[in-house]
Amino acid sequence: RQLKEVLMIDGTANDDIELSSEDILDAAVASRRVSKNLSYLAFTATPKAKTLELFGRRPDPEQPASKRNLPVAYHIYSMRQAIEEGFILDVLQNYTSYRVAYQLAHENPVADHEVDSKKAATKIAKWVRLHPHNIAQKVETIIEHFNSKIKHLLGGEAKAMVVTSSRLEAVRYKLAFEKYVSEKGYKNVNAMVAFSGEVNDLENGPEPFTERNMNPDLKGRDMRKAFDTDDYQVMLVANKFQTGFDQPKLVAMYVDKKIANAVEIVQTFSRLNRTFPGKDQTFIIDFINDPEVVRTAFA
């Protein structure tokens, strides 16, 4: 609407004549009418229902009644075609599900009492996910896989992303990452952690954790630019940079977050699909998501 107002005012404007408030009002009213000489085009890799409703076209009236009123895209350049023509990489080519199994047993059944099963299951799952031993095991898997399979790719410039399910989990991943790398004496396997705001974790320190105090080597640099250098090889994220982040050197992704939304699955895993000289394959290790759900989302 605002674009149409500008165009209409611009079309009626004359250097010698000052526009009156009535002229501007007329343009505002006209901008709300359907215009025959303006076309709106939207380009998106992951169209949502609202986008299709705004920009799509109505399908063939001969379609079945159930589909007759659903808007569709004017044109689709499919991910499959883009992969076949070499514009992006197939991120599912080396997708691996890594099921984490755990069992909790009470040593004192006398102390048991009845609770709401749904709330209890949520709390137990959260406790297990954030337990230092559980995170340490996954960190070991991630670092060893990156060190042996990924780090040497792209002439030693290959990068990896670890997707965590919360800011607290990202903090604990970072602490576990530093501890493991230090114990093993690994060089050039440095991780930055990205999350917004402050995180309080009294189990690991009295002061809140922030991006600044957890990434001392940033030294005021923009995280995107710093990650592109040899200073960092792995990025630990909690929502931030999970989508909309463009880094062609990303070769591997380790997913420790349940992603239920199909669009978000495609957006997240597609961080890896950018091409780069020497990059001909990608790797995903998924600790949580069902492979069939992932396949369906991309289909």
Side-chain angles (χ1 to χ4, degrees):
R1 180 178 57 78
Q2 289 173 333
L3 172 65
K4 288 163 77 175
E5 280 184 23
V6 171
L7 291 174
M8 288 171 181
I9 290 172
D10 190 53
T12 57
N14 188 305
D15 291 340
D16 301 323
I17 302 173
E18 187 176 341
L19 287 174
S20 67
S21 57
E22 191 174 341
D23 292 329
I24 296 172
L25 184 61
D26 286 342
V29 172
S31 71
R32 286 166 170 77
R33 301 193 199 105
V34 176
S35 178
K36 295 180 179 180
N37 62 344
L38 282 176
S39 298
Y40 295 92
L41 306 177
F43 297 88
T44 174
T46 47
K48 297 178 182 178
K50 186 177 180 181
T51 310
L52 288 172
E53 191 171 335
L54 280 170
F55 296 97
R57 60 176 173 80
R58 298 296 163 187
D60 191 331
E62 295 182 8
Q63 287 274 355
S66 59
K67 296 182 178 180
R68 199 168 294 158
N69 292 320
L70 296 177
V72 295
Y74 280 91
H75 175 72
I76 293 176
Y77 179 64
S78 70
M79 191 173 285
R80 180 189 295 275
Q81 186 178 348
I83 290 168
E84 289 174 350
E85 295 178 355
F87 288 103
I88 59 173
L89 298 175
D90 181 2
V91 298
L92 297 187
Q93 192 175 24
N94 291 311
Y95 172 90
T96 306
S97 174
Y98 191 98
R99 290 192 173 277
V100 179
Y102 63 83
Q103 183 178 10
L104 297 174
H106 284 292
E107 293 183 358
N108 185 14
V110 178
D112 286 356
H113 59 278
E114 193 170 313
V115 295
D116 181 271
S117 61
K118 194 171 183 180
K119 290 181 180 178
T122 301
K123 286 194 173 184
I124 290 173
K126 185 178 180 181
W127 182 85
V128 172
R129 285 185 56 75
L130 292 172
H131 194 281
H133 180 67
N134 191 34
I135 287 179
Q137 284 185 322
K138 285 183 276 192
V139 163
E140 179 181 350
T141 300
I142 290 167
I143 293 176
E144 292 301 334
H145 181 268
F146 180 81
N147 215 23
S148 61
K149 306 289 186 185
I150 308 299
K151 190 172 72 171
H152 64 280
L153 300 175
L154 309 187
E157 293 188 69
K159 310 281 185 182
M161 177 179 282
V162 180
V163 179
T164 69
S165 64
S166 69
R167 297 185 306 149
L168 177 57
E169 194 167 324
V171 166
R172 295 194 177 179
Y173 255 95
K174 170 70 168 169
L175 296 173
F177 204 99
E178 289 179 345
K179 181 181 178 183
Y180 187 84
V181 168
S182 176
E183 288 173 352
K184 289 289 185 177
Y186 288 152
K187 305 295 182 184
N188 296 326
V189 188
N190 301 316
M192 69 164 56
V193 60
F195 60 88
S196 56
E198 297 181 347
V199 176
N200 292 303
D201 184 9
L202 297 179
E203 291 185 26
N204 289 295
E207 298 298 321
F209 290 95
T210 65
E211 281 183 345
R212 177 172 290 187
N213 63 30
M214 295 206 81
N215 300 305
D217 293 335
L218 275 178
K219 299 173 183 176
R221 290 178 295 173
D222 179 80
M223 296 190 81
R224 296 169 187 261
K225 292 181 179 178
F227 189 55
D228 194 45
T229 68
D230 293 336
D231 294 343
Y232 294 99
Q233 290 73 42
V234 180
M235 180 183 279
L236 311 168
V237 304
N239 288 330
K240 192 174 184 179
F241 296 134
Q242 183 183 329
T243 61
F245 176 54
D246 188 15
Q247 173 47 262
K249 296 176 189 174
L250 273 175
V251 174
M253 179 176 285
Y254 306 92
V255 183
D256 195 17
K257 176 182 180 178
K258 187 76 173 177
I259 310 175
N261 185 287
V263 169
E264 191 180 349
I265 288 174
V266 175
Q267 288 178 335
T268 300
F269 290 6
S270 292
R271 295 313 97 217
L272 299 178
N273 71 12
R274 274 62 169 173
T275 57
F276 190 81
K279 179 179 172 182
D280 56 3
Q281 57 183 337
T282 61
F283 300 86
I284 298 175
I285 293 181
D286 195 333
F287 290 91
I288 292 181
N289 297 287
D290 184 343
E292 184 58 26
V293 172
V294 174
R295 189 200 66 79
T296 303
F298 273 85

